[in-house]
Amino acid sequence: MRPIIIIGAGMAGYTAARELRKLDKTVPLTIVTADDGGFYSKPMLSNAYAQNKLPTQLVTQTATQLAAQLDATIMTGTRVERLDTAGRKLVTDKGELDYDKLVFAVGAHPIRLPLEGDAADQAMSVNHVEDYVRFRQQLDATEAGRRARVTILGAGLIGCEFADDLAGGGHAVTLIDPNPLPLAALAAPALSEGLQASLTERGVDLRLGTTASRVERGDGGLNLTLANGATVQTDILLSAVGLRPSTTLAATSGLTVNRGIVVDSYGRSSAPDVYALGDCAEYTEADGATRIMPYIAPLMNAARAIARTLTGTPTAIDLKPSAVIVKTPCYPLALVPPPQKSVAQGSWATARDDKRTICRFYDADGLMAGFGMSHHDAAGRQALMAELGKPRDAAPGA
C-alpha cells in the first residue's frame, strides 16, 4: 500500500500528520524533511530571548519521538529533487518514494534585500531554529562588557516582535522600515502610533521612512548606511523584511503557482491527490480570490480539513477571520487585518478608553471588515469578532 507523504517537518507538516492520525491509525505515513525533524513552535523564535529560552529548549520533540508517536517514517536530512505527479513518485537524494497522496508543507523562505557593501552577507534572518542558534551565538558573543547592538530591517510583525523582545532583554535595538509607522501593513494608524510610542519608551531607536542600502565591516562591528544618508553602527544585522512561499519544487513539478502553491477550498493543488498548506500555500476563498495566509489559525484549520479529505471525507477549509496576536508585551495587539482589496475604499474608526485603543475598519459598503485592539483580552476579541460583517451603526456606542 502506497503511503501518504508529507514534505516538510515544520508546524504545518506535523499538524497535518497529527490530524491525520486522529482519523486513521493505520494508513502508511512518511514525512520527508531536509533538517533533523525536531518539532518546535516557530512563532516562539521572535520572543524566546526575554523568556530565557535557549535554542535547545525550543525543540520539544525529536524526530525519533515523533516517529513513534505518529507511527510514521520520518526521513531526516533528505532533500527532495523532483516530484513525478503522473507516476506518483517523489525523487529524493536518498532514492525514489511512491505515494498515494502527497502534502506540501514546505513553508517559506526569507526575502533577501539587495544590500551593497563588503558585509552585505552578514545580514541574517531567523526563520528556523538553526537560524536562531546562530543568532544567539552572535548575540552572546557581544554581551561581554556591554549591550549588543542589534539592527533590525523591517518593522512588520516579526521585526517588531524581535525589537520588543531584545530591547526588553537589555540590548540596544535599532528598527528600520520604509513606512512612516511600524506594523503599517497590518494595523490601523492609531495602533501603529501607539506601538511606535511604546517601542520608543522601551528604548528602541526607530528609523522610519528609510531603508538600508550599504553594509560594511568596521572596527568593532558593522557600519550600515541608510538611504537617507544616516549611518548606524551595529554588532548584528537582522533582516525581517518578510517571507516568500517556497514554490520552486511545486513549480518545476508542473503545479499551478502564483505567489504560493495555488490550492482550492479543499487544499487540493492542480495535480491529482497533491495538497498544500501553511506558508507555502495560496488559499482560495469563498469569492474565488486567492491569498497567502501565513498565520497559525488558517494552518490549523487547513490541517484538520485536509486530514478529513485525505481519509475519505472531503471537507472545505474554514478560512473565516481569526485574530493575529502580536507578541509585543510593551503594547500587546490583536489584529484582524482587512482584506487588501478593501483598504483603499474603506476607513478606520477609532475608540479609546482608559487602557485600550480599539480600531474598526469599515469597507465601502459600511460593513466591518477588520479590527485591531491594544491591551486585548479574550472577551474583547470575541466581541469584536462578532461585529465582523455588521454595519457601522451596530457597533457599541455608534
Side-chain angles (χ1 to χ4, degrees):
M1 184 177 179
R2 293 186 174 196
I4 293 173
I5 293 181
I6 298 173
I7 308 174
M11 182 175 289
Y14 278 133
T15 302
R18 290 187 177 106
E19 293 297 328
L20 179 65
R21 275 292 176 248
K22 290 178 184 177
L23 302 172
D24 191 322
K25 306 294 187 185
T26 62
V27 63
L29 176 62
T30 299
I31 299 172
V32 180
T33 178
D35 59 28
D36 64 9
F39 179 78
Y40 64 98
S41 174
K42 185 175 174 180
M44 288 187 64
L45 296 179
S46 60
N47 71 333
Y49 188 84
Q51 296 183 37
N52 295 315
K53 292 283 188 180
L54 297 173
T56 53
Q57 294 174 304
L58 296 178
V59 178
T60 56
Q61 289 179 291
T62 67
T64 300
Q65 292 170 327
L66 286 159
Q69 181 185 95
L70 296 168
D71 190 18
T73 298
I74 301 179
M75 298 178 62
T76 60
T78 303
R79 297 195 175 276
V80 177
E81 298 175 345
R82 184 167 53 87
L83 175 63
D84 175 6
T85 58
R88 294 179 184 250
K89 292 182 181 295
L90 188 67
V91 181
T92 77
D93 60 359
K94 294 183 179 178
E96 293 186 357
L97 304 173
D98 295 326
Y99 70 85
D100 179 47
K101 299 177 181 69
L102 184 139
V103 180
F104 274 88
V106 293
H109 56 272
I111 296 171
R112 303 294 182 186
L113 291 175
L115 297 171
E116 298 180 348
D118 63 12
D121 61 348
Q122 295 302 297
M124 64 185 306
S125 298
V126 177
N127 190 46
H128 190 279
V129 70
E130 292 177 356
D131 300 328
Y132 187 71
V133 169
R134 291 188 289 271
F135 174 69
R136 282 296 298 264
Q137 288 172 344
Q138 288 195 29
L139 197 63
D140 295 343
T142 61
E143 285 185 353
R146 64 173 173 82
R147 298 186 301 167
R149 300 167 298 178
V150 184
T151 298
I152 302 172
L153 305 181
L157 181 68
I158 302 303
C160 288
E161 290 182 349
F162 265 112
D164 192 347
D165 188 52
L166 295 170
H171 298 291
V173 178
T174 300
L175 184 59
I176 300 169
D177 194 275
N179 290 296
L181 290 169
L183 218 59
L186 295 178
L191 293 173
S192 289
E193 290 167 358
L195 178 60
Q196 180 181 11
S198 295
L199 286 173
T200 300
E201 186 176 352
R202 185 74 129 168
V204 177
D205 179 11
L206 284 97
R207 307 290 186 95
L208 301 173
T210 190
T211 58
S213 58
R214 190 174 189 86
V215 191
E216 296 176 311
R217 289 176 172 82
D219 293 335
L222 303 173
N223 296 325
L224 187 64
T225 302
L226 307 186
N228 63 6
T231 59
V232 175
Q233 290 187 321
T234 192
D235 300 305
I236 300 170
L237 182 58
L238 179 63
S239 179
V241 296
L243 300 173
R244 182 171 289 121
S246 298
T247 60
T248 300
L249 175 63
T252 56
S253 302
L255 276 64
T256 298
V257 168
N258 188 18
R259 288 179 59 207
I261 303 170
V262 178
V263 297
D264 66 10
S265 58
Y266 294 87
R268 299 175 298 205
S269 76
S270 58
D273 293 317
V274 176
Y275 301 75
L277 79 158
D279 289 359
C280 69
E282 185 168 341
Y283 297 98
T284 299
E285 298 184 275
D287 61 0
T290 61
R291 64 173 170 145
I292 307 296
M293 303 180 75
Y295 306 115
I296 300 301
L299 181 157
M300 302 294 286
N301 291 339
R304 283 190 286 268
I306 289 173
R308 290 181 63 83
T309 300
L310 289 172
T311 53
T313 305
T315 303
I317 301 170
D318 182 1
L319 293 177
K320 66 184 178 184
S322 57
V324 178
I325 306 302
V326 186
K327 301 188 297 296
T328 46
C330 73
Y331 193 74
L333 291 168
L335 309 172
V336 173
Q340 196 62 37
K341 61 185 179 182
S342 301
V343 172
Q345 290 78 34
S347 62
W348 287 99
T350 300
R352 292 183 172 90
D353 58 28
D354 292 338
K355 182 178 180 181
R356 300 184 302 192
T357 297
I358 300 173
C359 297
R360 297 173 173 86
F361 182 86
Y362 294 97
D363 63 18
D365 296 321
L367 302 179
M368 189 169 134
F371 68 79
M373 172 190 283
S374 72
H375 305 92
H376 55 92
D377 56 21
R381 295 194 303 270
Q382 291 169 6
L384 285 168
M385 291 295 296
E387 292 182 42
L388 287 171
K390 296 182 178 179
R392 185 187 295 261
D393 58 11

